[in-house]
Amino acid sequence: MNKKQLIAKLSGSLNLSKADAERTFDIITNTILDALKGDDSVKIAGFGTYKVAKRKARVGRNPRTGEQIQIAASQKVKFLPAKALKEVFNK
Amino acid sequence: MNKKQLIAKLSGSLNLSKADAERTFDIITNTILDALKGDDSVKIAGFGTYKVAKRKARVGRNPRTGEQIQIAASQKVKFLPAKALKEVFNK
DNA sequence: AATTGGATATGCAGTATTTGCATATAGAAA
DNA sequence: TTTCTATATGCAAATACTGCATATCCAATT
């Protein structure tokens, strides 16, 4: 399912036009992103936690040529599913 | 930031009561979950992709006693940040 | 509705990183 | 109040990550 299809569903269940449903959805994701930029984590009970994880610089390898490569440190958004979410898929 | 604080922010930016903002938010997360249950992945352009990842059974260990334990296969929701999302935190 | 530019999936090798087990407790959230 | 979540522990095994070409897929513009 892609964003367009998701918006179509939400349009129905939220009783909004597709344009409004998309606007609503975008506001929510942007709010989460902004929070991650400033704060460091966003916890949503029953769903999961978004966190910014710092990754150290390290040595990698180009699998095509085999040569070693220096990989810079970076940051990545991680999602940790809540307990309830795990149970849904493991009952 | 926790869910309550997120809802409070959304209440303002969506111009909804807190109760309605929470209802809206819950409908969205539930819609995503339902899609994932149907074995799909949910791709949200510019944000990321939610996927159900299957994990194989393996041998684990009780860190308290040190004894080996057989761990059953399981499923887990994974979130893969979109390119745009990575760039926000690595520029 | 169709085209196009951009984003993402795949496969590969080898190393780095993460995962997840049990369990109690502390702290936070509903 | 009562439920949920983070933390901490050692360690084996699963998985992520890198460059890059190709194939596929999506989003946005015509």
Side-chain angles (χ1 to χ4, degrees):
Chain A
M1 164 142 86
N2 59 34
K3 184 174 175 184
K4 197 175 210 170
Q5 296 168 311
L6 177 63
I7 295 299
K9 279 209 174 195
L10 293 177
S11 169
S13 47
L14 293 175
N15 200 29
L16 292 174
S17 70
K18 284 186 185 174
D20 282 343
E22 181 159 17
R23 232 182 319 270
T24 299
F25 186 80
D26 288 344
I27 286 175
I28 292 177
T29 55
N30 283 331
T31 302
I32 292 174
L33 280 192
D34 284 345
L36 286 175
K37 281 187 221 165
D39 206 332
D40 50 350
S41 72
V42 178
K43 294 184 199 177
I44 299 159
F47 187 66
T49 303
Y50 296 91
K51 274 194 178 180
V52 177
K54 299 179 200 314
R55 310 180 65 75
K56 290 180 187 170
R58 64 194 170 82
V59 176
R61 188 174 290 267
N62 181 337
R64 185 161 296 270
T65 66
E67 65 180 322
Q68 288 201 338
I69 298 162
Q70 180 62 23
I71 301 171
S74 65
Q75 294 190 303
K76 170 179 181 178
V77 176
K78 272 192 58 173
F79 175 73
L80 300 99
K83 190 187 171 191
L85 188 40
K86 290 182 197 166
E87 285 168 357
V88 168
F89 293 96
N90 292 305
K91 54 159 194 243
Chain B
M1 159 141 57
N2 59 37
K3 184 175 176 183
K4 196 177 209 171
Q5 296 168 314
L6 177 63
I7 296 299
K9 279 210 176 196
L10 293 177
S11 168
S13 48
L14 293 175
N15 200 28
L16 292 175
S17 70
K18 284 184 185 175
D20 282 343
E22 180 160 16
R23 232 184 317 271
T24 299
F25 185 81
D26 288 344
I27 286 173
I28 292 178
T29 54
N30 282 330
T31 302
I32 292 174
L33 281 192
D34 283 345
L36 287 175
K37 281 188 220 167
D39 205 29
D40 266 345
S41 64
V42 179
K43 294 184 197 177
I44 297 159
F47 188 66
T49 302
Y50 295 92
K51 272 193 178 181
V52 177
K54 298 181 198 313
R55 300 185 164 288
K56 293 179 186 170
R58 62 196 173 82
V59 176
R61 190 171 291 267
N62 181 336
R64 188 160 294 272
T65 66
E67 65 179 323
Q68 290 202 337
I69 297 162
Q70 181 63 23
I71 301 172
S74 65
Q75 295 191 303
K76 170 181 180 178
V77 175
K78 269 193 56 174
F79 174 74
L80 299 99
K83 190 186 175 191
L85 187 41
K86 290 182 197 165
E87 285 167 358
V88 168
F89 293 95
N90 291 307
K91 56 148 181 261

